[in-house]
Amino acid sequence: IVYQPYAGEYDNKALANILYGNDAPTGRLTSTWYKDDSALSPISEYSIPDGKTITLSDLDPRYEYDMTNADAYDQNLTYMYCNENDVTYEFGYGLGYADFSYSNLKVVSTSDEGINLTVDVKNNSSTVTTSEVVQVYARNNDTDYGDAMATRLAAFEKVEIGAGKTVTVPLTIKYDDIEIWDVNSASYIVEDGTYSIKVGHTAYDTPLS
């Protein structure tokens, strides 16, 4: 499957290059693709502008679920809160003409800005030079917010790797990217605690931690 949103005037040639192998696809999904609508919560009533309380299915029978509720935790939505078994293609997913393997994850240093990591990534193809999008996910195991503070994307880096080659990829988890909104202080904070860090191909395929 090649998923190609509108890519401008050059998209026809770009698609041909992908299909004929002149270039290797390296895009990754920025959303979660569910298997079917059973993964979504049932519709709830809501008020339309005139004040009459109805359901979306009263307006149009094609609507079966209430997407007006934007609370991802409450609705079990996005890669952070949904059940992995309900997903066909997860956040960060994407295939190409090469497979990659990960090894040697290290925390190199910390600074006032964030946590510096390195990981070795190998292009297992003997013929294709292409890019991998290395994804880092983080979670505070000691959070005061329970399940509402799920594992989330904390850093990523797209790196080109020659056929059969291994490169050491530097990554930085910036503290700004793991902040949460604290209701008591009415401000963003980085919670104290012990954080789990996972690195890999997608939100659900993280072989190293």
Side-chain angles (χ1 to χ4, degrees):
I1 298 172
V2 176
Y3 172 60
Q4 185 200 22
Y6 177 65
E9 296 177 356
Y10 198 73
D11 62 350
N12 57 342
K13 182 167 183 175
L15 179 59
N17 285 338
I18 292 292
L19 295 178
Y20 281 95
N22 298 325
D23 294 314
T26 60
R28 299 295 181 263
L29 289 180
T30 57
S31 59
T32 300
W33 290 33
Y34 299 96
K35 290 181 179 177
D36 55 55
D37 59 8
S38 65
L40 305 176
S41 299
I43 192 170
S44 61
E45 294 185 348
Y46 80 112
S47 296
I48 60 176
D50 66 0
K52 181 181 178 182
T53 300
I54 62 173
T55 63
L56 283 173
S57 56
D58 292 330
L59 294 173
D60 188 327
R62 293 175 302 174
Y63 289 103
E64 298 178 0
Y65 296 91
D66 181 10
M67 299 307 292
T68 63
N69 186 347
D71 189 317
Y73 174 62
D74 183 56
Q75 297 293 304
N76 297 318
L77 298 176
T78 76
Y79 72 93
M80 294 191 291
Y81 302 113
C82 68
N83 187 327
E84 295 180 24
N85 295 326
D86 294 331
V87 174
T88 299
Y89 303 115
E90 67 266 30
F91 178 90
Y93 181 87
L95 296 178
Y97 296 141
D99 294 321
F100 298 89
S101 56
Y102 286 65
S103 62
N104 201 27
L105 174 63
K106 294 181 180 179
V107 176
V108 177
S109 63
T110 59
S111 67
D112 292 339
E113 285 73 39
I115 304 164
N116 301 308
L117 316 169
T118 60
V119 63
D120 292 342
V121 183
K122 181 181 179 180
N123 179 351
N124 294 320
S125 171
S126 60
T127 58
V128 177
T129 293
T130 185
S131 295
E132 168 72 325
V133 180
V134 182
Q135 302 169 39
V136 182
Y137 294 84
R139 174 184 170 83
N140 181 2
N141 300 317
D142 304 320
T143 178
D144 291 330
Y145 288 84
D147 291 339
M149 189 62 247
T151 303
R152 58 177 169 169
L153 183 68
F156 65 92
E157 191 69 46
K158 187 172 185 177
V159 56
E160 185 176 271
I161 306 175
K165 302 296 184 180
T166 299
V167 300
T168 298
V169 182
L171 301 130
T172 298
I173 299 176
K174 296 181 180 179
Y175 294 130
D176 290 348
D177 293 328
I178 55 173
E179 287 182 330
I180 63 168
W181 179 259
D182 181 65
V183 296
N184 296 312
S185 64
S187 62
Y188 283 99
I189 66 168
V190 177
E191 281 192 296
D192 292 336
T194 301
Y195 284 75
S196 294
I197 298 171
K198 298 180 179 181
V199 177
H201 309 279
T202 77
Y204 302 152
D205 183 5
T206 49
L208 297 183
S209 63

